[in-house]
Amino acid sequence: AFVRMLDDHPTVAVQVLREFAGRLRALSSLVEDLSLRTVPQRLAKFLAERAQERAPKPGQRQLTQREIASQLGTVREVIARSLADFDQRGWINLQRGVIEVVDLDALVDFANQCGPM
């Protein structure tokens, strides 16, 4: 029935393919991050990407350290240590419930470095 519906509605088929391609790209990016980047590098990339978004996405809210850890495939304690390190380096300003990116270029450079840090 699904294939028949796609045959009958090519615009729906194109949308399904676009959605599938987007999800495949996201999965590929996740595999790359997990295999090639350390947790601090993944966190730096995550913070840089969120800072580069001009406006928050609809319904977007501040994430807890535990939620960030879950998205990055680690535990809250590692995120907390990495955030404290980034704060000490002057890349972010860490306050209760708020992470302000101070040096976006440093985060991007760190996230893109090769090899373990």
Side-chain angles (χ1 to χ4, degrees):
F2 182 70
V3 173
R4 199 175 18 223
M5 189 263 309
L6 293 177
D7 284 340
D8 293 343
H9 303 282
T11 56
V12 173
V14 169
Q15 282 302 113
V16 168
L17 287 173
R18 282 190 181 131
E19 179 68 21
F20 179 73
R23 289 179 184 226
L24 186 59
R25 274 192 302 273
L27 179 61
S28 177
S29 178
L30 177 61
V31 169
E32 178 183 321
D33 282 351
L34 290 173
S35 62
L36 300 177
R37 287 190 173 93
T38 64
V39 171
Q41 287 172 311
R42 293 196 307 264
L43 177 59
K45 180 182 176 198
F46 175 84
L47 294 174
E49 287 172 350
R50 286 186 61 109
Q52 289 171 332
E53 295 173 352
R54 293 205 181 271
K57 295 177 182 172
Q60 189 176 42
R61 61 177 180 72
Q62 293 288 351
L63 298 174
T64 67
Q65 289 183 11
R66 190 170 312 282
E67 290 168 327
I68 294 170
S70 177
Q71 287 189 17
L72 299 180
T74 189
V75 293
R76 189 203 62 78
E77 292 77 10
V78 175
I79 295 299
R81 280 195 303 269
S82 298
L83 288 171
D85 179 50
F86 293 175
D87 186 43
Q88 187 170 359
R89 292 174 188 240
W91 298 348
I92 64 170
N93 182 10
L94 187 59
Q95 297 179 10
R96 185 160 182 84
V98 177
I99 302 168
E100 176 190 7
V101 173
V102 177
D103 191 344
L104 180 61
D105 291 336
L107 285 174
V108 170
D109 289 345
F110 181 72
N112 292 325
Q113 288 179 0
C114 296
M117 302 295 120

